[in-house]
Amino acid sequence: MRLSSVPMPIQLFDSLTRQLQPLAPSHADGVFRFYNCGPTVYAPAHIGNFRTFVVNDLLRRLLELEFGPAKVKHVRNITDVDDKTIRRSQEEKRALGDFTKQWSDKFHADCAALNCLPPHVEPTATGHIAEQIDMIAVLERKGHAYRTADGSVYFKVGSMPDYGRLSRIKERELQLGSALSGKPQTADADEKEDGSDFALWKAHKPEDGANAWESPWGRGRPGWHIECSAMSKKHLGETIDLHTGGVDLLFPHHENEIAQSECCNGAPFSRLWYHSEHLLVDGKKMSKSLGNLYTLDDLKAKGVSPMALRYALLAGHPRKQLNFTLDSLHAAEKALATLRAFRATLAASGSRGDEAVFAPVFAALHDDLNTPAALGALFTVVNRGPAGVDAAAFDRVLFALGLTLDAPVAPKADIPAAVAALAEKRWAAKQAKDFAAADALRKEIAAAGWSMLDRKDGYSLEPAKK
Ligand code: AMP
Ligand code: ZN
């Protein structure tokens, strides 16, 4: 469903051309192909990671509204083998697959709490070893890769004349004095022909334990970058419409993905690239050593709802660094309560109106995901009141932002869906000051064995005392 009231296509700032570019499917089937680098699963993702995933979820939702749900294919991988996953699994004396499953399950649960839509395909690196080996073999055959004495394989950066287009590394290196053609810079670089070459295949080392796969070059495991090239190709084809991730991935990860994919396939890799900025905490980079790293569970323990976190993460412009504070979560809870009350009055008034009142919201979102402007435009409508506002159009705005306005329900017991639905209805009736309906619903809830406790900004449900 194309939103008739939003004349502007979705535009994103493309990191490759450094210009705003309109999004459109390039394949004849009209399906927009979108790849988003996923998490490395060795610990719970932190709220900085979730900033990136929430921004990508916003994008996914806007794409669905623009092109139709069946015309968007969203792939996001799971990095389930790398130095960190191997080392941590060994510290815990657990098999790698068993260890990473725990953290990908946790990631999925957190994504669901933040109302992020699951990608259409979620491939894992270990599930695509053969595809990665195939690509490396082609690169070797075409003269873009070489093996070293220990049985590793490296990509030969010098074999690609236009390497560095995305990060403009050559321009930067010229200013800084060449590191591109410089000496080996990393610990395991002794055997590399050039310091900027990167690993496609890593020969097995004793510290890798049982985590190795057979290959034409002997036992080993893939390098990090090749997984995304291989999984993107397998699930989206050689040329995709959009590739995204946090800014830290631009170099070397995405630069190297371009090199591998284009040298292997002989076709352009991604038409557009989008990078969102980092989340800072109290003005500093989030890190373990500074003790300012938060997970969703840390915030839940402070009584923060995941939806408030989602709102707070959306409140900053995705391409600007966002300074996270606990105060921003309080502001988010208040904003959600205002939206919840507005929806209840809309529902009660059965308002039909013009969806065009929300055009400025979508116009802002289509303009490089300008979420602060979009939320500003949304509250302009909300503050004017429900007259002439279309309830379905308001729901579409909520869908785009991925905001659910269920009143926070204390997760003390498993609440049956029917009871939760009655509670939602009663809350809406109360907001609309239809106290007769609210009372009747309270009785129905009580008859089902539950009691509803009201607060100013929401309610909770508890099993009725016998
Ligand atoms: P990782 O699990 O480390 O591969 O990271 C998953 C995603 O989170 C990547 O797209 C990173 O760019 C992104 N990311 C990492 N740190 C932050 C941060 N502080 N703020 C926003 N995004 C981040
Ligand atoms: Zn990637």
Side-chain angles (χ1 to χ4, degrees):
M1 148 206 33
R2 178 85 209 266
L3 290 165
S4 53
S5 58
V6 189
M8 206 171 99
I10 305 171
Q11 298 194 77
L12 285 183
F13 185 85
D14 168 35
S15 312
L16 197 59
T17 55
R18 299 198 184 169
Q19 278 175 1
L20 280 179
Q21 300 285 1
L23 302 191
S26 62
H27 290 255
D29 61 7
V31 173
F32 189 90
R33 290 155 165 80
F34 164 35
Y35 187 97
N36 169 209
C37 289
T40 310
V41 283
Y42 65 95
H46 56 67
I47 60 171
N49 300 134
F50 280 118
R51 179 183 195 200
T52 296
F53 295 121
V54 163
V55 166
N56 278 274
D57 184 60
L58 169 69
L59 192 49
R60 153 80 183 271
R61 288 163 178 273
L62 291 174
L63 289 167
E64 282 198 11
L65 287 171
E66 181 78 348
F67 303 127
K71 293 291 180 191
V72 180
K73 189 165 177 192
H74 172 204
V75 176
R76 187 185 65 210
N77 68 294
I78 297 267
T79 298
D80 61 351
V81 56
D82 76 332
D83 292 342
K84 280 184 265 190
T85 45
I86 290 179
R87 185 161 41 86
R88 295 275 180 98
S89 68
Q90 286 174 340
E91 281 163 11
E92 292 188 20
K93 300 195 177 7
R94 292 171 66 188
L96 182 65
D98 178 41
F99 172 81
T100 55
K101 181 174 183 308
Q102 169 195 344
W103 294 117
S104 47
D105 286 351
K106 176 64 182 149
F107 176 70
H108 291 146
D110 286 353
C111 282
L114 288 165
N115 200 28
C116 291
L117 297 170
H120 299 105
V121 189
E122 195 175 44
T124 60
T126 57
H128 292 72
I129 299 289
E131 287 83 353
Q132 297 177 74
I133 289 176
D134 285 351
M135 279 188 96
I136 299 169
V138 173
L139 288 169
E140 190 182 28
R141 206 172 62 235
K142 288 190 171 180
H144 292 292
Y146 58 90
R147 54 177 106 183
T148 53
D150 71 338
S152 295
V153 182
Y154 286 90
F155 184 91
K156 194 180 177 68
V157 166
S159 74
M160 185 189 193
D162 60 348
Y163 178 86
R165 278 190 342 261
L166 181 66
S167 59
R168 317 220 166 160
I169 185 85
K170 287 184 186 162
E171 292 162 32
R172 280 196 279 153
E173 296 308 341
L174 279 176
Q175 285 160 7
L176 292 172
S178 177
L180 243 192
S181 57
K183 296 195 174 64
Q185 293 153 1
T186 56
D188 64 349
D190 332 342
E191 298 192 68
K192 286 200 258 180
E193 291 175 3
D194 188 287
S196 55
D197 294 349
F198 57 89
L200 296 166
W201 186 261
K202 297 180 167 190
H204 180 256
K205 292 196 196 115
E207 56 267 34
D208 293 340
N211 303 302
W213 289 263
E214 295 300 335
S215 83
W217 315 282
R219 273 162 63 72
R221 61 182 163 103
W224 169 35
H225 314 300
I226 193 72
E227 66 172 277
C228 288
S229 284
M231 294 188 275
S232 178
K233 179 178 181 178
K234 166 135 186 208
H235 298 287
L236 294 171
E238 292 180 351
T239 301
I240 67 171
D241 295 309
L242 175 67
H243 193 121
T244 65
V247 273
D248 54 308
L249 298 188
L250 193 147
F251 185 84
H253 184 52
H254 289 162
E255 196 72 79
N256 292 349
E257 283 185 37
I258 294 176
Q260 298 161 153
S261 294
E262 298 199 347
C263 289
C264 172
N265 303 331
F269 179 36
S270 184
R271 293 171 53 240
L272 301 174
W273 290 83
Y274 175 78
H275 293 95
S276 47
E277 261 293 348
H278 275 174
L279 183 73
L280 307 182
V281 174
D282 294 326
K284 299 192 193 83
K285 190 177 179 326
M286 210 172 14
S287 75
K288 274 239 163 63
S289 52
L290 290 173
N292 63 357
L293 188 154
Y294 291 104
T295 64
L296 192 58
D297 284 350
D298 294 336
L299 295 182
K300 281 199 210 156
K302 291 180 188 290
V304 175
S305 71
M307 217 20 70
L309 174 63
R310 181 172 177 116
Y311 188 98
L313 293 175
L314 286 174
H317 192 295
R319 281 196 314 101
K320 296 201 174 105
Q321 290 187 334
L322 176 65
N323 189 30
F324 173 80
T325 60
L326 289 174
D327 277 349
S328 70
L329 294 172
H330 300 142
E333 297 277 17
K334 270 179 79 176
L336 289 173
T338 304
L339 293 176
R340 196 176 296 130
F342 181 75
R343 195 189 52 178
T345 24
L346 258 192
S349 67
S351 189
R352 299 287 311 158
D354 187 0
E355 74 166 31
V357 293
F358 293 114
V361 178
F362 283 102
L365 292 173
H366 282 204
D367 180 16
D368 198 26
L369 309 183
N370 190 341
T371 49
L375 292 172
L378 173 59
F379 274 88
T380 301
V381 176
V382 168
N383 293 336
R384 271 203 307 260
V389 175
D390 191 75
F394 181 64
D395 283 345
R396 207 142 51 231
V397 172
L398 295 179
F399 170 82
L401 294 168
L403 298 177
T404 51
L405 297 179
D406 307 332
V409 171
K412 282 189 183 146
D414 286 336
I415 298 157
V419 174
L422 287 171
E424 255 308 274
K425 261 170 89 179
R426 182 176 165 271
W427 178 254
K430 210 185 141 203
Q431 294 296 302
K433 304 204 187 312
D434 183 351
F435 297 113
D439 274 352
L441 284 160
R442 179 191 285 286
K443 284 187 188 127
E444 276 192 65
I445 292 165
W450 289 78
S451 61
M452 187 163 164
L453 312 173
D454 294 351
R455 293 188 313 274
K456 226 174 92 195
D457 60 343
Y459 62 86
S460 55
L461 281 163
E462 286 185 355
K465 296 197 180 69
K466 299 249 162 64

